Amino acid sequence: MPLLNEEIRQEVSRFLEDLPGPVRLVMFTQEFECEYCAETRQLVEEIADLSPRITAEIYDFQADRAKAEELGVDKIPAIAVIGAQDYGVRFYGIPSGYEFSSLLHTTRSVAAGKPDLSDATLKVLGGLTKPVHIQVFVTPTCPYCPQAVVLAHQMAIASPMVRADMVEAMEFPHLAYKYQVMGVPRTVINETVHIEGAAPESMVVAKLQEALKNN
Amino acid sequence: MLDFKLTTPQREVRPSDEETYDLIILGGGPAGLTAAIYAGRARIHTLLLVGPLPGGQPANTDVVENFPGFPEGIEGPELAQRFVAQAERFGVQIVHDSVTGVDFSVRPFIVRTDSATYRAHTVIVAMGAVPRRLGVPGEDRFFGRGVSTCATCDGFFYRDKRVVVVGGGDSAIIEGLYLTRFAREVILVHRRDQLRATQIYQERAFANPKMRFVWDSVVEEILGEKTVTGVRVRNLKTGESSVIEADGVFIYIGMEPQTQIFAGQLELNERGYIVTDRYQRTSVPGVFAAGDIQDPRYRQLVVAAGTGAIAAMEVERFLEMYPQNHQ
């Protein structure tokens, strides 16, 4: 039973036409698959079927420990979206609902290797000297969330100092609790700075600079 | 059950800030997207700036039951997605960006976003309305951390908890009923002694064993240290104050237009709505407005779509009749 129906498969095919470069969807599951692990694996396989430039790679979180550590994957289900290089783009939890859009949008940007950000933002990101970790907490039913996720991922593509995760709050309740997530999207930068809601690009940049000052 | 939504534009567009558009539509809700469908079919060179919520308010609504053509009702996000797909089909350039400023005193008009400046001969303003806030102590501090205006986004965090819903209209009831899927108890606080919501929603609310009603009362403060612990309400008839314990507060006390960036450029009414005539014209020739941003009275999806269609047809007329504006 496919996850994507015929209608959405056609939309996805059209969306992924002329992908500007190859993309690897590197997915981590385990032998006794976690909640949504099986579905996430199936999802990346179905997406890979829809574009000749996308390959799905499935790893076992336990057995392929070294690979997980290499990519900094610390929980499952996980997808690393990797293009010409690993930009640090990750999805933790299944990208279903509105987050399916985030996955496809980010996949296109990774394929191009070019972020869609303003010159002012690129200048700030180009000057980063310290690592930045952005975690965006979401639920699949949140229409505002993809904006925050895609923006974080664009920043990861723009700078080798930035890595950015989508974290599906319902699948990682301990993290939702740790970061006091009671509403989404909630963006956490370097553990210290929080943003509630889908903020404009310039505000996220300002918060990122604030986070670096705190460190 | 899993579903998968593709709401992002099929092709990311790199809009040119060199060229001048015939039309820029501000806002990607029912009004803006309907205008885009009409403009696209009329082959008007159009740029649509979607704004923060692609598809507009329906994207944030559980089920839409009063839009013609869907006898079983349709999920709001699904309807929103269909609007976007239909606008795309007719060749409108869609950009996920929000307007931050405009200049309607020059021709062509200027529209600014965080990252670019665009020019256009005509503009349709269709940015809708945003949820009104209570304006009480505690609200800002807990917004996004226990205070919410999006039940579909945040309902999950209130599994087996107690939540307060403020309001008595359709949205308060629809979203309150949605929250009963997660919450142990939903307490609806309303300033009057009866609901304003459509009868059919009232019947469902009264029949739901998880819903409780506190009448004639207003929320005066949102309480809590680190997290929300409750609200302080005042009964308007008796004047008595009391505390309702709750883990979260959802606010549905109506919408308000966000028209600050148009102040001094377009005529606004005393409540901040853009003033339009029956042809959706604003006080500036060539600038039209549609949907909730100019409609304090009906605020219905089907009306928003209708005014979007009118605005686009008037844009077409305007461009034909003013060839000097249409280079």
Side-chain angles (χ1 to χ4, degrees):
Chain A
M1 183 69 186
L3 286 173
L4 303 175
N5 65 32
E6 192 46 43
E7 193 185 343
I8 190 102
R9 284 172 70 87
Q10 283 182 12
E11 276 181 56
V12 172
S13 300
R14 270 201 307 276
F15 185 82
L16 296 174
E17 245 171 46
D18 324 315
L19 212 55
V23 174
R24 293 153 59 209
L25 299 178
V26 181
M27 191 267 160
F28 287 84
T29 178
Q30 62 188 14
E31 192 177 351
F32 293 102
E33 290 191 305
C34 62
E35 194 184 12
Y36 296 125
C37 270
E39 290 85 354
T40 307
R41 176 173 51 76
Q42 192 184 337
L43 182 65
V44 300
E45 287 169 344
E46 286 185 29
I47 293 170
D49 276 346
L50 296 174
S51 166
R53 309 206 77 167
I54 298 179
T55 47
E57 294 176 24
I58 311 298
Y59 289 94
D60 186 302
F61 188 53
Q62 304 295 338
D64 303 312
R65 198 89 209 133
K67 187 72 181 173
E69 274 165 26
E70 178 198 325
L71 295 178
V73 166
D74 59 358
K75 51 192 168 283
I76 53 170
I79 304 170
V81 184
I82 299 177
Q85 64 188 82
D86 178 13
Y87 299 103
V89 170
R90 306 285 183 268
F91 287 84
Y92 292 107
I94 187 164
S96 72
Y98 285 105
E99 288 314 311
F100 185 61
S101 292
S102 300
L103 176 64
L104 292 180
H105 196 114
T106 289
T107 296
R108 271 198 79 89
S109 302
V110 165
K114 250 191 341 207
D116 186 10
L117 296 168
S118 73
D119 291 343
T121 303
L122 292 174
K123 200 171 155 217
V124 172
L125 295 176
L128 291 178
T129 54
K130 287 190 248 173
V132 174
H133 183 207
I134 308 176
Q135 299 179 79
V136 184
F137 287 87
V138 303
T139 58
T141 48
C142 164
Y144 303 92
C145 289
Q147 199 192 344
V149 170
V150 168
L151 181 56
H153 284 155
Q154 299 290 332
M155 291 180 169
I157 294 168
S159 165
M161 301 306 282
V162 179
R163 57 198 177 99
D165 306 340
M166 179 212 80
V167 184
E168 204 278 281
M170 294 157 69
E171 289 169 71
F172 302 102
H174 59 291
L175 291 179
Y177 181 77
K178 178 180 169 191
Y179 293 104
Q180 299 171 15
V181 183
M182 291 297 276
V184 287
R186 181 167 167 90
T187 302
V188 180
I189 306 176
N190 284 6
E191 311 286 320
T192 53
V193 170
H194 305 254
I195 306 171
E196 269 78 51
E201 190 178 314
S202 50
M203 183 176 156
V204 177
V205 171
K207 286 284 187 181
L208 193 147
Q209 290 172 306
E210 185 189 326
L212 288 174
K213 246 179 253 155
N214 291 352
N215 282 14
Chain B
M1 207 189 67
L2 291 167
D3 70 339
F4 299 91
K5 297 178 179 30
L6 187 51
T7 54
T8 187
Q10 302 271 317
R11 280 271 174 276
E12 68 242 60
V13 180
R14 294 214 163 259
S16 161
D17 46 14
E18 300 297 313
E19 64 188 307
T20 299
Y21 290 88
D22 287 336
L23 167 63
I24 294 181
I25 300 171
L26 309 179
L33 289 165
T34 304
I37 292 165
Y38 275 73
R41 289 170 61 87
R43 300 286 182 242
I44 295 170
H45 184 41
T46 302
L47 177 70
L48 171 67
L49 300 180
V50 170
L53 184 59
Q57 291 174 49
N60 196 354
T61 306
D62 185 21
V63 178
V64 175
E65 294 185 347
N66 55 8
F67 195 75
F70 299 95
E72 319 297 331
I74 180 165
E75 284 185 23
E78 157 100 33
L79 187 60
Q81 195 178 341
R82 285 170 177 246
F83 284 151
V84 175
Q86 195 169 350
E88 262 175 351
R89 199 182 135 201
F90 297 114
V92 168
Q93 293 190 23
I94 301 183
V95 182
H96 278 237
D97 211 346
S98 301
V99 59
T100 53
V102 294
D103 188 346
F104 292 153
S105 68
V106 295
R107 305 296 166 106
F109 302 126
I110 290 175
V111 172
R112 291 188 198 89
T113 70
D114 236 5
S115 55
T117 299
Y118 303 108
R119 281 181 297 274
H121 297 300
T122 61
V123 172
I124 296 176
V125 181
M127 287 144 62
V130 296
R132 186 182 296 151
R133 303 278 193 97
L134 289 167
V136 300
E139 184 181 31
D140 283 347
R141 189 158 58 96
F142 287 117
F143 202 86
R145 302 190 300 121
V147 175
S148 174
T149 55
C150 182
T152 51
C153 301
D154 303 335
F156 163 77
F157 300 106
Y158 298 93
R159 186 157 279 168
D160 297 322
K161 298 192 171 170
R162 261 178 101 168
V163 299
V164 162
V165 172
V166 188
D170 281 355
S171 294
I173 302 302
I174 293 168
E175 304 306 321
L177 285 166
Y178 176 81
L179 288 168
T180 60
R181 295 184 201 178
F182 305 96
R184 173 162 50 94
E185 189 176 22
V186 175
I187 301 155
L188 192 125
V189 177
H190 185 40
R191 60 183 308 134
R192 302 201 298 166
D193 60 3
Q194 55 182 355
L195 298 175
R196 194 160 34 81
T198 309
Q199 204 59 38
I200 189 164
Y201 295 131
Q202 295 200 24
E203 289 162 16
R204 284 180 210 166
F206 293 133
N208 191 304
K210 283 187 174 178
M211 295 272 277
R212 191 155 79 74
F213 299 85
V214 175
W215 303 108
D216 301 312
S217 298
V218 292
V219 171
E220 290 199 313
E221 187 180 357
I222 291 163
L223 306 168
E225 290 287 324
K226 281 190 170 152
T227 60
V228 169
T229 55
V231 295
R232 193 160 50 76
V233 300
R234 184 165 55 89
N235 186 303
L236 292 171
K237 285 196 175 153
T238 64
E240 274 171 36
S241 253
S242 59
V243 169
I244 301 173
E245 284 179 25
D247 305 290
V249 182
F250 287 79
I251 301 166
Y252 291 101
I253 52 168
M255 309 291 287
E256 57 191 12
Q258 278 201 308
T259 48
Q260 294 90 330
I261 62 168
F262 303 111
Q265 305 205 53
L266 296 177
E267 187 188 346
L268 308 177
N269 78 5
E270 68 290 348
R271 290 168 62 191
Y273 288 86
I274 295 173
V275 175
T276 52
D277 66 10
R278 61 182 299 189
Y279 305 109
Q280 306 308 131
R281 294 182 296 205
T282 68
S283 55
V284 175
V287 178
F288 301 79
D292 285 6
I293 202 164
Q294 51 87 58
D295 175 15
R297 190 174 176 90
Y298 300 107
R299 298 177 310 236
Q300 296 299 303
L301 207 168
V302 69
V303 177
T307 54
I310 295 172
M313 293 172 83
E314 290 299 326
V315 161
E316 196 180 356
R317 283 169 62 91
F318 183 90
L319 292 170
E320 276 166 12
M321 288 168 66
Y322 293 85
Q324 70 273 25
N325 275 346
H326 187 193
Q327 287 142 14

